Amino acid sequence: MPKNQNGQAKTNSWLRLLYWGLVVAGIWFAYLNIQPYERAVSFLGGKATSSAFISLVAAIPIINGIAAIFSKSLSWILGAILWSVIQIIEVLPLILYNNEKFIEKIVTSCDGRSRYQEKDTDDPTLKMLKRTYNHLPISVVSNLEVLKIFTYTVDFLICLTVYSPVASGKISDLIFILATGQWGKLDYGNLALALVTLFAIEVIVSLIIWVGKLSYAIKA
């Protein structure tokens, strides 16, 4: 095998190993990051939901036995669902913006799309429909960005609630400590856990995308 092909094969092997290592790391961090959401679900009433659910299915034959097995895991399942929804919203823009075909489709659609002029004689509903049509499909991306900011805010509050950097666990106390510069009262271990929970998956997905692009560039 020529040296360049041999070197390329070795590089691809290392990239493949790195890729699967990142996938395993992503699964591991996903498992770890679900735990705070399970605690958040329990805190917000997950236990009550579990009790109501069990009471509902207790009278159903066969199902009640299955429900008894999974009763202790319901809060974890709800936490996993909550975490999955939040992570999909946060990661989806990252994946879409690294998809050349998606970007090309949006740009081409926007440049070649006909626009409707709003007239003073138009019905208000017609004006709204024209305005909505004129902003498509770029409004889909804009709305996704707004949803992403909202989701990150909710995610950040959940992380701070579960891994509170202040002894009281109150957001108001955290704001007061930050405003007064009392840095010594912060629990930096919990703060690090909150940041890892908030950004670990996004960083891993970014690295997976980078490895995939690098591997494709080497093959090309």
Side-chain angles (χ1 to χ4, degrees):
M1 180 181 295
K3 289 184 178 180
N4 59 341
Q5 293 184 5
N6 187 29
Q8 181 178 343
K10 289 182 179 179
T11 302
N12 288 332
S13 298
W14 280 108
L15 289 176
R16 192 177 299 111
L17 180 62
L18 178 58
Y19 174 85
W20 287 111
L22 289 170
V23 171
V24 172
I27 295 173
W28 174 245
F29 274 105
Y31 171 75
L32 294 179
N33 289 355
I34 289 173
Q35 298 180 30
Y37 294 88
E38 185 273 334
R39 292 171 59 184
V41 167
S42 298
F43 178 77
L44 294 174
K47 293 181 179 180
T49 304
S50 300
S51 299
F53 178 79
I54 294 171
S55 299
L56 178 65
V57 300
I60 304 176
I62 300 177
I63 300 298
N64 54 4
I66 299 175
I69 296 175
F70 290 100
S71 60
K72 295 182 180 180
S73 303
L74 186 57
S75 293
W76 192 91
I77 293 173
L78 293 176
I81 294 173
L82 175 62
W83 177 86
S84 299
V85 171
I86 289 177
Q87 289 301 316
I88 289 173
I89 296 174
E90 291 176 352
V91 171
L92 186 58
L94 179 63
I95 296 175
L96 292 179
Y97 295 161
N98 281 278
N99 188 316
E100 293 184 4
K101 291 184 178 180
F102 171 78
I103 296 177
E104 181 183 6
K105 182 68 176 179
I106 294 293
V107 172
T108 302
S109 180
C110 289
D111 282 349
R113 194 179 184 85
S114 60
R115 306 287 178 178
Y116 289 102
Q117 295 294 329
E118 296 183 28
K119 303 176 183 178
D120 295 335
T121 56
D122 286 342
D123 182 85
T125 303
L126 179 58
K127 286 185 178 181
M128 182 271 293
L129 292 175
K130 285 183 175 181
R131 195 176 301 114
T132 301
Y133 179 86
N134 290 338
H135 283 85
L136 288 174
I138 199 67
S139 61
V140 176
V141 180
S142 301
N143 292 336
L144 185 60
E145 282 296 319
V146 173
L147 184 60
K148 176 183 175 182
I149 294 173
F150 173 78
T151 305
Y152 262 111
T153 302
V154 174
D155 196 6
F156 181 65
L157 292 176
I158 291 176
C159 293
L160 287 185
T161 300
V162 176
Y163 297 123
S164 178
V166 294
S168 64
K170 297 179 179 179
I171 299 295
S172 57
D173 290 343
L174 173 62
I175 295 175
F176 176 78
I177 289 175
L178 293 176
T180 55
Q182 303 180 56
W183 312 110
K185 293 185 177 181
L186 293 177
D187 186 336
Y188 290 98
N190 276 358
L191 185 59
L193 287 173
L195 292 176
V196 168
T197 304
L198 191 62
F199 295 114
I201 298 300
E202 287 77 7
V203 171
I204 291 174
V205 171
S206 298
L207 291 174
I208 289 176
I209 293 173
W210 175 78
V211 170
K213 287 186 174 182
L214 183 59
S215 179
Y216 178 80
I218 292 175
K219 289 180 180 179

